Amino acid sequence: MPLRVVSRLRRDRAFLLGLLCGTLVSVAGLVGYVGVPVVAGDHPSLVEGAASAGFDMAGRPLAYHGLVVVLPSFVASAAGTLLLRRWGLTGRGPLLELAGGIVLTPLLAIVLAYAVTAVGVGAAMGLSSGGAPGDALVGSVAITVWALIFGVFAVAIAVAIVVPGVLLGTAAGYLVALGVIRAGGAAPVDEA
């Protein structure tokens, strides 16, 4: 049964397009909220940049969030909607799969980044203590647990900023694409 589900999902172009578009939005967010501050010198390392990204988001101007979250999701949604139309995939199902992928993939990326960052912080701080291997391992586990507990607050901030921004960009992109379709700019391709 699970193999049939995986096989079906592999053939579902709308679902795969949603995952691809959501992944592009996630990469844009990762670059904008972690990569740019590290390159700009706000944080000395990638681990510290990732660990403080959630808290740093709250201090960023609204226009920055628009460029990092809303604009990529707008472009992904508009392009994805037009591409679905070109493939002849119309109706609510394919559009919901596209929108779901665009919205849920960044949410899952935040949770994954949270877990990876907590383990990275725990390993980096625990293993850099210079003590005995057993002490370093216990320290790494303790710091990882602390980072997981404390990181929930950063995740809450990130989710509160990213999800509404992605929803706004996705809805706007769909509406613009719908306007282009209704104006006659994106007719479906006949495969006859």
Side-chain angles (χ1 to χ4, degrees):
M1 173 90 171
L3 291 176
R4 281 190 279 169
V5 171
V6 170
S7 175
R8 182 192 167 279
L9 291 178
R10 287 175 139 175
R11 292 188 309 262
D12 191 349
R13 289 191 288 177
F15 176 75
L16 293 175
L17 182 62
L19 286 180
L20 175 66
C21 290
T23 301
L24 293 174
V25 173
S26 300
V27 168
L30 184 65
V31 168
Y33 291 123
V34 178
V36 170
V38 169
V39 171
D42 295 344
H43 302 289
S45 70
L46 188 61
V47 172
E48 186 180 321
S52 62
F55 295 110
D56 289 349
M57 285 174 145
R60 301 263 179 220
L62 192 58
Y64 191 82
H65 298 301
L67 287 173
V68 172
V69 177
V70 179
L71 183 62
S73 59
F74 170 83
V75 171
S77 177
T81 302
L82 293 173
L83 191 55
L84 286 178
R85 174 71 175 193
R86 184 161 179 82
W87 288 342
L89 298 172
T90 58
R92 289 187 184 139
L95 291 172
L96 286 175
E97 289 178 10
L98 175 70
I102 293 172
V103 173
L104 293 178
T105 305
L107 181 62
L108 292 174
I110 290 170
V111 173
L112 180 65
Y114 155 68
V116 169
T117 300
V119 171
V121 166
M125 292 179 74
L127 297 177
S128 68
S129 66
D135 293 340
L137 181 62
V138 170
S140 292
V141 170
I143 293 170
T144 299
V145 169
W146 174 84
L148 285 169
I149 293 169
F150 188 66
V152 170
F153 300 110
V155 168
I157 293 169
V159 167
I161 291 171
V162 170
V163 171
V166 171
L167 284 171
L168 176 68
T170 301
Y174 167 73
L175 291 174
V176 166
L178 188 63
V180 169
I181 290 168
R182 288 200 176 156
V189 176
D190 288 334
E191 308 236 352

